[in-house]
Amino acid sequence: MQSAAYSLSSPCSIPSLKPRKFGSRAGFQPIRVSSSFAAPERHEHSVSLPNRSWRLSSSSSLPLRAWNLVPSDSKPDRFEVRATAAESAGEGEKSGSLVKTLELGLLFGLWYLFNIYFNIYNKQVLKVFHYPVTISAVQFAVGTIIVSLMWTFNLYKKPKVSGEQLVAIVPLALVHILGNLFTNMSLGKVAVSFTHTIKAMEPFFSVVLSAMFLGELPTLWVVGSLLPIVGGVVLASVTEASFNWPGFWSAMASNLANQSRNVLSKKLMVKKEESLDNITLFSIITIISFILLAPVAIFVEGIKFTPAYMQSAGLNVKEVVVRSLLAALSFHAYQQVSYMILQRVSPVTHSVGNCVKRVVVIVSSVIFFKTPVSLINSLGTGIALAGVFLYSRVKRIKPKAKAA
């Protein structure tokens, strides 16, 4: 029986192994197999492959390895290229997500910062310049200038507004005027921290007005979240050092006006094909508010925002004018940033952010103005703000549909 092992050999009767030279014809040569029986126990085979020739002998101790025309590492190379591309795509998605997160964090920071500046500068002006209607008109005037510049230089697309849309926007502008006017009146009468504690009652007015005019009945969870809000505001009010009724009722009227604006916007701006985005709607409301309020300010308070009058009243003209303009810029900026955030997050997330903003404004104003705050007053404010946070969370809980 013949041995199954193969070995490479070069017997004297057979020419030695030499590779053929590469010729002009690079085709496959026919395979030739020949047998030589010089010795009965040895068989030799001659195999000719394209451009190569080997002699194989059955006495070799080396194992035979097949010749593969396709490189064995070709597939892994292609796999590695695909894997690298997938990894690059994943890294691109991660970096894009990181950029969006940082951008959103920056917007929230600017929202809070502009709010702090607005309340501080506004309070400083209203403490010495007791004309809230004029100050409100100045703020709308600065906002109108900013909007006009944005539209002129194509920083934001100038809208095409129909007459029907203007008719629907005018009521929104009226309640917008009242909301900001009453806020300024309250800031001129009581501490900033107390004004914002009272303004934590906004969810209460939102629930009541939505039920009355939109037929949106609140769930038990929502009603339950209103209890700590009302209780906290009452506790903070009875212990507030700067408390007075004009300041209190002005802040409450501001809540009513602002939430009426939200309800009206839902009720009037219902046609999606004709609807305006939030920033455009706010810009138009700002312009209309200035047009409507400027003559009212002159009629009610006279022309007071002049250097001559301020000097006669013993005021520092430069200080009042600069702080008024900074407050107006901050007012318009924080409103714009608020709507930019609303375009990127859900209303629930925006509500939570608004709750945190109120906490930041209250704390910063207490520190800046060194407002005296008692323990019970702080407790009442904290309970009210906790209720606002709870309201923002439970508002998204949908009532279970009744089985038929």
Side-chain angles (χ1 to χ4, degrees):
M1 185 173 64
Q2 294 181 350
S3 172
Y6 290 86
S7 64
L8 294 172
S9 67
S10 181
C12 59
S13 60
I14 301 175
S16 60
L17 178 65
K18 291 183 181 179
R20 295 183 181 178
K21 294 184 181 179
F22 186 78
S24 59
R25 292 183 63 186
F28 280 89
Q29 301 294 334
I31 298 175
R32 298 187 303 276
V33 180
S34 62
S35 299
S36 176
F37 295 94
E41 69 278 8
R42 176 176 295 183
H43 294 275
E44 297 175 355
H45 306 278
S46 173
V47 181
S48 176
L49 291 174
N51 301 326
R52 291 173 176 81
S53 179
W54 285 271
R55 296 283 182 179
L56 300 180
S57 170
S58 61
S59 62
S60 174
S61 60
L62 299 175
L64 182 65
R65 299 183 65 182
W67 179 43
N68 190 359
L69 292 173
V70 182
S72 60
D73 57 348
S74 60
K75 290 184 179 179
D77 282 345
R78 287 194 293 268
F79 174 78
E80 288 175 3
V81 170
R82 291 169 185 167
T84 303
E87 289 174 1
S88 299
E91 290 176 359
E93 290 178 0
K94 288 182 179 179
S95 61
S97 177
L98 179 61
V99 169
K100 289 181 179 179
T101 302
L102 292 175
E103 182 183 89
L104 188 60
L106 177 62
L107 289 176
F108 270 99
L110 291 174
W111 186 23
Y112 297 165
L113 187 64
F114 286 136
N115 237 286
I116 292 171
Y117 279 133
F118 165 70
N119 284 278
I120 289 175
Y121 286 131
N122 211 27
K123 178 64 177 178
Q124 289 176 332
V125 172
L126 291 168
K127 281 174 67 177
V128 297
F129 189 80
H130 307 291
Y131 297 98
V133 182
T134 300
I135 292 299
S136 299
V138 170
Q139 291 169 359
F140 290 136
V142 172
T144 299
I145 294 172
I146 294 174
V147 170
S148 301
L149 291 175
M150 289 173 61
W151 289 347
T152 301
F153 293 101
N154 291 324
L155 299 177
Y156 204 84
K157 185 179 179 181
K158 185 178 180 180
K160 295 180 180 179
V161 185
S162 64
E164 185 179 356
Q165 287 176 319
L166 282 176
V167 171
I169 293 173
V170 168
L172 301 178
L174 287 172
V175 292
H176 182 67
I177 291 171
L178 293 175
N180 288 280
L181 176 59
F182 284 127
T183 298
N184 286 336
M185 291 173 66
S186 179
L187 288 173
K189 297 292 184 181
V190 297
V192 174
S193 57
F194 184 54
T195 296
H196 281 274
T197 299
I198 301 171
K199 285 175 72 65
M201 285 276 290
E202 283 183 347
F204 174 82
F205 288 93
S206 176
V207 170
V208 173
L209 293 174
S210 296
M212 291 175 60
F213 297 103
L214 300 178
E216 298 177 359
L217 297 179
T219 63
L220 290 177
W221 291 103
V222 170
V223 174
S225 69
L226 297 179
L227 297 178
I229 296 176
V230 176
V233 170
V234 171
L235 186 60
S237 299
V238 298
T239 57
E240 173 61 37
S242 66
F243 178 87
N244 60 67
W245 287 110
F248 175 83
W249 287 116
S250 296
M252 294 294 279
S254 173
N255 289 336
L256 178 62
N258 288 331
Q259 296 310 308
S260 297
R261 179 189 61 196
N262 294 340
V263 171
L264 281 174
S265 64
K266 291 180 181 179
K267 197 171 183 65
L268 298 177
M269 309 297 289
V270 293
K271 296 182 179 180
K272 292 184 178 180
E273 65 275 7
E274 297 180 2
S275 62
L276 304 170
D277 64 85
N278 289 327
I279 295 179
T280 300
L281 181 60
F282 170 70
S283 301
I284 297 173
I285 286 175
T286 299
I287 295 173
I288 296 176
S289 298
F290 170 66
I291 294 172
L292 296 177
L293 187 61
V296 174
I298 295 174
F299 178 78
V300 173
E301 297 178 346
I303 302 176
K304 304 295 184 183
F305 201 75
T306 61
Y309 175 80
M310 293 180 191
Q311 286 177 349
S312 64
L315 301 176
N316 186 325
V317 177
K318 181 179 179 181
E319 190 176 88
V320 172
V321 171
V322 170
R323 288 177 177 176
S324 298
L325 294 178
L326 288 175
L329 286 170
S330 300
F331 170 75
H332 190 81
Y334 92 72
Q335 298 267 16
Q336 288 274 9
V337 173
S338 174
Y339 286 122
M340 290 171 67
I341 293 173
L342 190 58
Q343 289 179 339
R344 290 167 169 80
V345 300
S346 67
V348 174
T349 303
H350 190 272
S351 298
V352 174
N354 191 53
C355 177
V356 176
K357 178 208 73 177
R358 206 170 294 287
V359 174
V360 171
V361 170
I362 290 174
V363 172
S364 61
S365 65
V366 167
I367 295 173
F368 184 85
F369 293 109
K370 299 179 181 179
T371 308
V373 180
S374 65
L375 179 61
I376 298 178
N377 183 267
S378 301
L379 182 63
T381 301
I383 292 173
L385 294 175
V388 174
F389 177 79
L390 181 62
Y391 168 80
S392 66
R393 303 301 296 176
V394 303
K395 187 179 178 182
R396 61 180 178 177
I397 299 177
K398 304 288 185 182
K400 293 182 178 179
K402 294 182 180 180

